[in-house]
């Protein structure tokens, strides 16, 4: 069976939004066609209490919402326990600087989460925040700590999150050039990497040292909004529905496809500085070929935030052999994926309205009624989907925007940089 998964999400305890409504979440997962969703922030005590009160185990290590009216749903989404954590250790070239990295952890049961909580508390981590922060004296101490955890808890999966963003292992300031450089021996315990919104599997897998990892994609959503949940996800093949089967499938790279943001849409694609960093309120951004020397910002003269495009190019060019033998790129393992732009945003832009407007939401529902799941818009055969679009009883300008998106007639101007999303321009 094929399972669509979005297993890295956040609750209000990680900042951003207030209380998440499980009912709304379930409704939106139906629209998005997401079978498995991340619990978010399972290590945070208040959120864990909410999870325990709201969920009931359905299969080994998987949960469903309590007391639901089953017939209301096309399918019943499962929940997997997970949390993102932050690891920080002095940067190995310069002990005065630290490198912070986000790491996703999945858990097979609440009692395992509680054991991890005790270990983290003993280590001195503050668990009242959604994303606990583990501060190490050096990389060796961190490596020992993580090795110990992974050896004691074989069923926990550790997945470096959004690897090329500033908080990703291979991105940002004080960058690391390969997984082992930061994680040491623990790198061998890592099976999958999360692409993040600003990178796609092609960008990641063309880097030699990363070619053997499975690349997965998650929304990293901080709310149950339609343009957030399931905006990226991955589909895996499993034999039985259970936590252990899912982890086994990730470890064996049984990926069917992933659905990805266009990297230019993500918040860290270009290199630059956003407006609020500057007295004149001007933003500045560069494509990889135009970046000034040493990444110095022409406005504030500080180092700019390195974009994912730049980091990927830099790591790719490190591999001199490859540049001389371009054909070898074909030897690299590839993964199947589709690009997607949240449909509610496409409708809102074409009507020059907000994603919260009733009209936008009504049209959105009409489209979903015809296409089934939102991702079908991008995954179905082009002719078939264009026919469906043409027969929709919606305004022509929305139809032509949908067709333009599907025919690749759009761009992000500017593309994302320094925390700003790329600005979608539909070319119709
Ligand atoms: Zn993160
Ligand atoms: Zn600047």
């Amino acid at each position: 069976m094929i399972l669509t998964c979005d297993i890295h999400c956040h609750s209000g305890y990680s900042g951003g939004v207030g209380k998440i409504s499980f009912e709304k979440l379930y409704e939106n997962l139906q629209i998005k066609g997401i079978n498995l969703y991340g619990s978010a922030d399972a290590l945070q005590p208040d959120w864990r209490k909410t999870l325990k009160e709201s969920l009931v185990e359905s299969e080994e290590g998987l949960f469903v919402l309590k007391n639901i009216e089953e017939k209301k749903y096309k399918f019943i989404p499962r929940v997997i326990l997970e949390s993102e954590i932050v690891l920080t250790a002095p940067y190995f070239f310069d002990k005065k600087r630290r490198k912070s990295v986000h790491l996703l952890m999945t858990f097979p049961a609440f009692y395992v989460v509680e054991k991890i909580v005790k270990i983290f508390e003993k280590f001195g981590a503050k668990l009242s925040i959604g994303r606990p922060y583990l501060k190490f004296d050096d990389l060796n101490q961190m490596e020992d700590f993580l090795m110990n955890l992974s050896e004691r808890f074989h069923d926990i999966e550790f997945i470096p999150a959004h690897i090329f963003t500033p908080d990703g292992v291979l991105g940002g300031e004080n960058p690391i050039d390969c997984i082992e450089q930061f994680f040491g021996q623990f790198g061998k315990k890592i099976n999958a990497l999360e692409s993040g919104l600003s990178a796609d599997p092609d960008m990641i897998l063309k880097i030699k040292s990363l070619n053997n990892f499975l690349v997965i994609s998650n929304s990293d959503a901080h709310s149950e909004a339609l343009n957030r949940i399931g905006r990226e996800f991955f589909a895996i093949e499993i034999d039985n529905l259970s936590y252990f089967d899912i982890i086994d499938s990730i470890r064996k790279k049984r990926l069917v496809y992933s659905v990805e943001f266009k990297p230019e849409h993500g918040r860290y694609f270009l290199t630059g500085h956003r407006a609020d960093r500057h007295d004149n309120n001007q933003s500045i951004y560069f494509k990889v070929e135009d970046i000034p020397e040493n990444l110095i910002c022409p406005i504030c003269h500080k180092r700019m935030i390195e974009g994912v495009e730049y980091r990927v190019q830099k790591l790719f060019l490190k591999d001199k052999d490859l540049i001389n033998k371009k054909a070898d790129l074909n030897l690299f393992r590839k993964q199947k994926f589709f690009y997607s732009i949240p449909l509610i945003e496409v409708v809102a832009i074409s009507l020059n309205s907000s994603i919260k407007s009733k009209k936008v939401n009504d049209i959105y529902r009409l489209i979903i009624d015809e296409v089934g799941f939102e991702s079908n818009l991008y995954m179905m055969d082009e002719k078939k989907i264009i026919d469906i679009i043409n027969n929709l009883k919606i305004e022509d300008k929305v139809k032509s925007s949908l067709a333009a998106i599907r025919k690749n007639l759009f761009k992000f101007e500017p593309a994302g940089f320094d925390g700003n999303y790329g600005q979608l321009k539909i070319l119709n």
Side-chain angles (χ1 to χ4, degrees), residues 136-265:
F136 296 94
D137 297 334
D138 56 44
L139 286 173
N140 290 336
Q141 186 200 16
M142 185 190 76
E143 182 184 352
D144 288 347
F145 183 86
L146 292 173
M147 279 305 269
N148 202 307
L149 270 190
S150 69
E151 273 155 19
R152 274 183 70 189
F153 302 94
H154 290 284
D155 302 317
I156 293 180
E157 190 62 17
F158 299 86
I159 303 170
H162 40 78
I163 56 170
F164 280 112
T165 65
D167 296 316
V169 61
L170 300 171
E173 216 187 333
N174 310 335
I176 298 286
D177 287 348
C178 67
I179 298 295
E180 283 75 17
Q181 212 174 38
F182 185 73
F183 287 115
Q185 284 299 310
F186 178 72
K188 293 197 172 57
K189 304 280 183 183
I190 292 169
N191 304 292
L193 306 173
E194 186 188 65
S195 67
L197 302 178
S198 305
D200 65 31
D202 278 354
M203 288 165 76
I204 292 169
L205 292 174
K206 74 174 188 180
I207 295 164
K208 205 172 171 182
S209 71
L210 305 181
N211 193 248
N212 278 325
F213 289 99
L214 176 74
V215 177
I216 65 163
S217 295
N218 299 298
S219 67
D220 200 350
H222 287 242
S223 87
E224 74 278 39
L226 282 168
N227 61 334
R228 296 286 186 254
I229 69 167
R231 58 187 173 177
E232 291 206 333
F233 65 90
F234 63 103
I236 48 169
E237 178 90 46
I238 54 169
D239 298 325
N240 298 295
L241 193 54
S242 84
Y243 174 88
F244 303 98
D245 260 64
I246 292 163
I247 298 307
D248 188 57
S249 168
I250 290 173
R251 291 177 181 173
K252 290 184 176 146
K253 299 194 188 74
R254 295 176 70 189
L255 185 103
V256 189
Y257 62 85
S258 63
V259 168
E260 305 277 335
F261 249 41
K262 269 281 213 195
E264 296 87 339
H265 194 181

Side-chain angles (χ1 to χ4, degrees), residues 272-287:
H273 265 167
R274 55 174 195 268
D276 64 5
R277 290 186 191 268
H278 299 138
D279 293 339
N280 65 4
N281 214 27
Q282 291 280 307
S283 62
I284 196 153
Y285 45 85
F286 296 95
K287 284 185 74 63

Side-chain angles (χ1 to χ4, degrees), residues 331-342:
L331 297 177
F332 276 158
R333 193 174 66 80
K334 286 238 174 196
Q335 287 185 193
K336 185 173 175 183
F337 66 93
F338 303 90
Y339 287 127
S340 128
I341 298 170

